[in-house]
Amino acid sequence: MSARFMRFPGGKGKAVTLSYDDSIEADAKLIAMMQKYGVKGTFNLIPGWFAEEGTTYPEGETYCLVSPKKALDIYAVPQVEVANHGDTHSYMTTLTTAEMAAEMIACRRKLETLFGRNVRGMAYPYGWYNEELKKVLSMCGVVYSRTVNSTHDFELPEDFLEWHPTCHHDEPELMQLTEAFVGMEVREQPKLFYLWGHTFEFERNKNWEVMENFLEKVSGNDDTWYATNIEIYEYVKAYERLEISADGKRIVNPSKIPVWFRLDKTIYKVEDVLVLE
């Protein structure tokens, strides 16, 4: 039997997503750049750290936290998923199980109340996590969480609660990896470029051109899907739920998400039921 390989929406072999942390005012500049280039991403917010309304920062300060009103103004746009970064950005593995759960639920409740949408994703504060925390996240309705461990590859995660990014935007390998990703032809498993960081780093290092160059290079490509973290998670899970007959010819999609796959050299779309000749 021929191999069957998942494809992203539209039969595309590649995807790009961003993940940025800490509820920083400079996120607004990144989101404007994302809108310019048609790229999407996830912003991991810390509602317990939100600034009071009317807070001003001294000239030259780079770590400027958003207020609730500014958070709504900045993140409530189609290009953005809002995700959990802990209510107070605690070192999660130093907490008791009950404290872990309280931190997660408090963050979810505040963000869901503010934005009027469910919050199911996360990035680990400080990158700290362990098996106990992963179990707590699952019980608290968190379905994926990003680490800070760069892979320098383009593979989808085996465990979405240990979702390792491709790289941080300040790593010297960024543009080499970007060139390799854009130039590759995908024949088997699909590929994902997952970039992460903090926007205060662009302000501190005065290097916004790094992001501009990256977005210009990866955007506008017909073979690439631009998605938030949760969109990628939900799509992969929809593909994994396909029900395939013993002879491989009848494929049922029980989800509400159309999925694509490649079989031999042909791309197929499954919305409900697909019967292959």
Side-chain angles (χ1 to χ4, degrees), residues 9 18 21 44 51 79 102 135 168 187 198 208-209 222 238 241 259 265 273:
L18 307 183
D21 299 350
N44 307 291
Q79 288 78 17
K135 292 176 184 177
H168 184 283
R187 296 180 180 177
H198 309 82
W208 278 99
E209 72 278 0
D222 292 338
R241 288 182 63 199
V259 297
K265 296 182 179 180
V273 179

Side-chain angles (χ1 to χ4, degrees), residues 4 242-244 249-253 261 270 272-274:
R4 185 186 304 105
L242 290 179
E243 300 167 0
I244 302 172
K249 295 186 178 298
R250 181 180 175 85
I251 302 174
V252 177
N253 182 359
F261 64 87
V270 191
D272 184 13
V273 179
L274 173 68

Side-chain angles (χ1 to χ4, degrees), residues 163-229:
W163 195 349
H164 306 309
T166 302
C167 69
H168 184 283
H169 66 248
D170 274 341
E171 292 185 53
E173 298 87 353
L174 173 62
M175 289 315 295
Q176 181 181 355
L177 289 165
T178 304
E179 294 284 352
F181 177 79
V182 171
M184 71 169 45
E185 181 182 354
V186 177
R187 296 180 180 177
E188 297 176 351
Q189 298 290 7
K191 304 300 179 184
L192 169 68
F193 200 119
Y194 190 150
L195 186 69
W196 82 281
H198 309 82
T199 57
F200 74 82
E201 294 160 335
F202 295 120
E203 295 288 303
R204 180 188 63 196
N205 299 329
K206 296 180 171 53
N207 65 346
W208 278 99
E209 72 278 0
V210 169
M211 179 55 76
E212 187 88 34
N213 292 339
F214 172 78
L215 292 175
E216 184 175 20
K217 188 69 177 178
V218 300
S219 65
N221 296 320
D222 292 338
D223 63 354
T224 304
W225 179 40
Y226 304 97
T228 64
N229 290 191

Side-chain angles (χ1 to χ4, degrees), residues 72-169:
L72 267 178
D73 291 341
I74 291 174
Y75 305 111
V77 296
Q79 288 78 17
V80 168
E81 172 204 0
V82 167
N84 192 323
H85 204 33
D87 185 44
T88 61
H89 202 273
S90 297
Y91 289 93
M92 298 297 295
T93 58
T94 70
L95 305 181
T96 66
T97 300
E99 289 169 334
M100 290 177 183
E103 180 82 359
M104 293 300 98
I105 292 299
C107 184
R108 282 196 64 194
R109 283 179 171 172
K110 290 178 183 179
L111 293 179
E112 290 175 351
T113 298
L114 181 62
F115 290 97
R117 61 174 100 162
N118 291 351
V119 173
R120 302 167 63 218
M122 181 176 169
Y124 290 112
Y126 307 107
W128 288 31
Y129 68 96
N130 58 21
E131 290 301 317
E132 181 183 7
L133 177 56
K134 287 166 59 178
K135 292 176 184 177
V136 172
L137 295 189
S138 292
M139 291 187 289
C140 292
V142 176
V143 296
Y144 77 79
S145 192
R146 195 211 73 226
T147 75
V148 297
N149 305 324
S150 297
T151 63
H152 291 178
D153 65 32
F154 314 116
E155 304 308 316
L156 288 164
E158 294 182 4
D159 180 352
F160 273 98
L161 289 173
E162 287 187 42
W163 195 349
H164 306 309
T166 302
C167 69
H168 184 283
H169 66 248

Side-chain angles (χ1 to χ4, degrees), residues 15-29:
V16 169
T17 195
L18 307 183
S19 179
Y20 276 75
D21 299 350
D22 285 11
S23 321
I24 304 298
E25 287 188 357
D27 290 351
K29 182 171 181 177

